[in-house]
């Protein structure tokens, strides 16, 4: 089982550029999440989804967008990259009566 | 929103010794879930142990155990017989029991405790 797969693992962006962080899971989980982890901090929720076609904002959604067209995929879009978005991004999924499964993270630097 | 506080930014333990990491949380709910996650330098988030608030018995997973004090809103992690591989960041996390109306079972994390294990 691949579990939760995130791509890319590392990326450097210039200010103002856009990109999409990919996340896919093969466990048929309804719940999916995007978190960011800033240095010396815990993870903070950006967006979440409770099923295909349903998404909602978390604690820190500004500057991001998401979509959930399929159960498997939950991409995170940065439209105008800013230095404040330099962080490590984690995608996670959760099935019924299960804990969250995390991907390996994407380290994003914006210069 | 529920807050999770880890008051120890760093802790150190000698190999084979026991260490306790502290976590407190704030909530008005009576039923919830608490977790400890380990994050080694590889950056993976690894579930160590979880506790359901309605269960009075403290959870145990091999060398890892918790001291759950519901009235005090305290959830500490004890690592026994520490090993070099235990060195990592440890995060305490809270999860509401409700799904749809409360961030879809998302986790609230503390800031973490960095554990150093010395030979």
């Amino acid at each position: 089982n691949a579990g939760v797969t995130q791509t890319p693992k590392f990326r450097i962006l210039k200010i103002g550029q856009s990109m999409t962080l990919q996340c896919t899971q093969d466990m048929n989980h309804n719940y999916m999440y995007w978190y960011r982890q800033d240095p010396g901090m815990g993870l903070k929720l950006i967006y979440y989804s409770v099923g295909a076609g349903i998404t909602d904002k978390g604690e820190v959604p500004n500057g991001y967008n998401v979509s959930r067209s399929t159960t498997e995929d939950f991409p995170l879009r940065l439209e105008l990259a800013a230095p404040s978005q330099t962080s490590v991004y984690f995608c996670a999924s959760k099935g019924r009566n299960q804990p969250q499964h995390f991907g390996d993270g994407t380290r994003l630097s914006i210069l | 929103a529920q807050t999770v506080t880890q008051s120890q930014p760093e802790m150190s333990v000698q190999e084979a010794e026991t260490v306790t990491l502290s976590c407190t949380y704030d909530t008005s709910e009576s039923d919830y879930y608490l977790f400890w996650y380990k994050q080694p330098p590889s950056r993976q988030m690894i579930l160590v142990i979880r506790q359901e608030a309605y269960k009075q018995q403290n959870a145990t997973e091999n060398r890892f155990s918790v001291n759950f004090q519901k009235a005090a809103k305290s959830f500490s992690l004890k690592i026994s017989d520490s090993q070099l591989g235990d060195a990592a960041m440890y995060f305490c996390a809270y999860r509401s029991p409700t799904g749809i109306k409360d961030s879809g079972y998302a986790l609230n994390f503390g800031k973490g405790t960095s554990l150093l294990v010395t030979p």
Side-chain angles (χ1 to χ4, degrees):
Chain A
N1 267 340
V4 179
T5 302
Q6 290 184 237
T7 56
K9 294 191 182 304
F10 303 96
R11 183 74 184 269
I12 298 175
L13 280 182
K14 293 183 179 179
I15 296 171
Q17 286 185 320
S18 62
M19 77 162 294
T20 299
L21 280 66
Q22 302 291 345
C23 175
T24 187
Q25 52 94 5
D26 62 357
M27 298 171 282
N28 201 33
H29 287 169
N30 283 328
Y31 297 94
M32 295 190 75
Y33 313 86
W34 275 106
Y35 296 90
R36 61 177 285 174
Q37 183 182 23
D38 298 329
M41 302 291 286
L43 282 65
K44 293 186 177 181
L45 183 67
I46 305 172
Y47 270 95
Y48 68 98
S49 171
V50 301
I54 306 170
T55 63
D56 207 346
K57 297 177 181 179
E59 182 183 359
V60 288
N62 291 343
Y64 307 94
N65 280 300
V66 294
S67 60
R68 184 96 182 271
S69 56
T70 66
T71 298
E72 294 78 19
D73 300 311
F74 190 42
L76 177 71
R77 178 89 177 157
L78 282 72
E79 291 294 350
L80 289 171
S84 62
Q85 294 176 305
T86 293
S87 191
V88 178
Y89 292 83
F90 286 94
C91 179
S93 72
K94 179 188 174 315
R96 185 179 177 83
N97 296 325
Q98 293 183 21
Q100 290 189 20
H101 295 255
F102 284 86
D104 290 342
T106 294
R107 182 177 294 278
L108 179 64
S109 295
I110 298 166
L111 307 175
Chain B
Q2 296 82 6
T3 56
V4 178
T5 302
Q6 294 179 250
S7 59
Q8 306 154 316
E10 294 180 351
M11 292 284 285
S12 181
V13 63
Q14 278 194 315
E15 216 174 350
E17 296 296 311
T18 296
V19 65
T20 298
L21 308 184
S22 301
C23 173
T24 59
Y25 56 93
D26 182 28
T27 184
S28 59
E29 295 172 319
S30 60
D31 190 18
Y32 45 86
Y33 296 83
L34 296 164
F35 304 84
W36 279 98
Y37 278 87
K38 172 185 178 181
Q39 187 180 45
S42 66
R43 209 170 61 203
Q44 286 181 297
M45 293 292 289
I46 302 166
L47 178 64
V48 175
I49 201 166
R50 65 174 167 176
Q51 175 80 41
E52 295 159 4
Y54 68 88
K55 291 185 177 179
Q56 293 185 344
Q57 186 173 5
N58 289 325
T60 299
E61 289 287 344
N62 300 316
R63 297 183 296 107
F64 298 86
S65 61
V66 299
N67 183 7
F68 173 49
Q69 300 290 327
K70 190 173 184 179
K73 297 180 183 175
S74 171
F75 183 60
S76 60
L77 175 69
K78 186 173 81 171
I79 306 174
S80 304
D81 186 24
S82 296
Q83 301 174 359
L84 294 177
D86 294 335
M89 283 291 289
Y90 286 83
F91 292 98
C92 179
Y94 172 102
R95 201 201 86 191
S96 172
T98 55
I100 299 295
K101 72 171 185 175
D102 195 3
S103 300
Y105 301 113
L107 298 171
N108 286 326
F109 286 89
K111 291 185 178 181
T113 296
S114 178
L115 179 65
L116 175 67
V117 181
T118 57

